[in-house]
Amino acid sequence: MIRWREGVVRATGPGWSGVLLLDVQTPDGDSLRALAYPDVVGTPRTGDRVLLNTTALDRSLGTGGLALVVAVPDRPQAWPAREVEEPGHLVKARYTPLQTMVLGVDDPEGRHHGRLADADDLGGMPVVAADLHSALPAVLAGVVLEDADLRVVYVMTDGGALPAAYSRTVALLREHGRLEAVVTAGQAYGGDLEAVTVHSALLAAHHVVGADLVVVAQGPGNLGTGTRWGFSGVSAGEALNAAAVLGGRPVASLRVSEADPRTRHRGLSHHSATAYGRVLAHPAEVPLPSGATGRRSTDDCLADVRTAVDGLVRTAPHLRPVDVPVDGVLDALTGSAVPLSTMGRGLQEDTASFVAAAVAGRRAATLAASG
């Protein structure tokens, strides 16, 4: 089911890289916050009539709870210009009304095709996989704590938002120089490089960008149903399978929480147990925080996580827990280049969540430094 509304742009507000925020008034007097992707639908301005998709907004969803501009129907000069001779034939968001054509890093029309045509190995490059997009800045804080000079690439999968431009986190990380490049894989698009699969995205990060390590996670807006298998985060296990097959060093960043009201995510999330215990079929390291953070609720949660991982390893012997010291981690997280937030909770509310992600980044940085 899709819900449509129309309205008139009353004001344009500050957006971020590749995104424009609008205040739109509907004919019945409602004021809506709307988001427009100028590269896709054009650049609306005050007074323009716009067609909106309000499906997620009408259902009061979290990360999807904005109206989305579909078209600026009355002013064709606002539409994005496209040159017919532009190279590239990879279609993403395929067979939707807003499908977009991009030049893939592995596209025969592109300059990197020859380099990737027979590429088949990551040369031992560490690959961190995480369930939630919100883990990305925490993983990077752990990387920087260990070695601030490492070249880090983010591979964005298509389990959440498809446009990379939607992520304010990525925009800020790029602004602060924390990411060497963004590669959008599958149906996701808008990265510095476009890839058909996670496999080709990892190979591009290694052979084209020269990454020291890669972080793989879906974009904002993960999908979950409260069932064992019905959640988009299974892609974390699939990403580590790809890393292992290609000769990388898989590192499993755990999703944990000390404050989530849902018991299935408290302590070790069932998402991590399924993605790494059942979906992942190759050896991988599981970094575990070692030492005390000085926060009792956090340390109690992480102790429970350690017990849960010990139990998981008994049924999933391909997982190898590795102790990673937490000294300096809280300071690194406090000094993160971007604000930390997961499911609406910040560092103070859910410290364990970010510590678990940070030690994964720290471990991957150690692996990268060791060659």
Side-chain angles (χ1 to χ4, degrees), residues 40-369:
V40 178
V41 301
T43 306
R45 66 188 184 193
T46 302
D48 279 340
R49 184 172 68 94
V50 290
L51 177 63
L52 304 173
N53 181 323
T54 62
T55 307
L57 177 65
D58 291 343
R59 292 297 297 273
S60 300
L61 298 185
T63 49
L66 288 169
L68 298 172
V69 176
V70 178
V72 187
D74 302 330
R75 196 164 59 87
Q77 60 267 38
W79 302 348
R82 285 289 184 265
E83 299 295 333
V84 175
E85 64 270 16
E86 276 189 3
H89 71 277
L90 270 64
V91 180
K92 296 201 174 188
R94 288 187 285 277
Y95 301 101
T96 68
L98 295 179
Q99 63 182 0
T100 185
M101 188 169 289
V102 301
L103 176 64
V105 67
D106 37 10
D107 194 312
E109 298 179 47
R111 60 191 179 97
H112 302 301
H113 181 262
R115 189 178 301 178
L116 293 176
D118 296 316
D120 199 41
D121 190 80
L122 297 177
M125 180 182 69
V127 177
V128 181
D131 179 13
L132 298 177
H133 188 71
S134 58
L136 177 61
V139 172
L140 290 179
V143 172
V144 171
L145 177 62
E146 191 67 25
D147 189 341
D149 295 325
L150 293 175
R151 294 162 61 90
V152 182
V153 170
Y154 169 46
V155 170
M156 178 174 147
T157 59
D158 55 13
L162 298 185
Y166 184 74
S167 174
R168 282 169 284 192
T169 294
V170 165
L172 286 169
L173 287 170
R174 295 299 304 273
E175 184 179 313
H176 286 84
R178 292 291 186 252
L179 290 173
E180 192 70 26
V182 176
V183 185
T184 34
Q187 299 285 341
Y189 63 89
D192 300 290
L193 298 172
E194 305 279 2
V196 177
T197 65
V198 171
H199 297 73
S200 57
L202 292 173
L203 290 166
H206 178 61
H207 291 281
V208 175
V209 183
D212 294 308
L213 67 89
V214 171
V215 183
V216 184
Q218 59 190 322
N222 67 298
L223 176 62
T225 63
T227 62
R228 177 171 295 175
W229 292 100
F231 63 97
S232 53
V234 296
S235 62
E238 294 164 350
L240 293 188
N241 280 332
V245 166
L246 294 173
R249 301 184 73 171
V251 178
S253 175
L254 297 176
R255 176 177 176 179
V256 310
S257 177
E258 64 183 273
D260 200 304
R262 300 164 295 181
T263 56
R264 64 183 183 274
H265 293 307
R266 189 69 70 91
L268 178 68
S269 169
H270 79 102
H271 283 194
S272 287
T274 298
Y276 303 138
R278 301 287 298 280
V279 177
L280 177 59
H282 295 272
E285 291 194 359
V286 182
L288 290 174
S290 176
T293 66
R295 289 176 52 95
R296 181 172 179 178
S297 61
T298 300
D299 292 336
D300 287 347
C301 174
L302 295 176
D304 290 341
V305 168
R306 180 177 292 272
T307 299
V309 169
D310 287 343
L312 183 62
V313 169
R314 286 195 287 271
T315 59
H318 57 279
L319 301 177
R320 185 168 74 87
V322 178
D323 286 341
V324 180
V326 297
D327 56 290
V329 167
L330 286 183
D331 287 341
L333 290 169
T334 301
S336 169
V338 304
L340 299 175
S341 179
T342 182
M343 301 294 174
R345 300 183 297 273
L347 178 60
Q348 294 303 314
E349 292 78 30
D350 204 346
T351 306
S353 172
F354 301 107
V355 170
V359 298
R362 190 174 203 176
R363 176 58 183 170
T366 301
L367 293 174

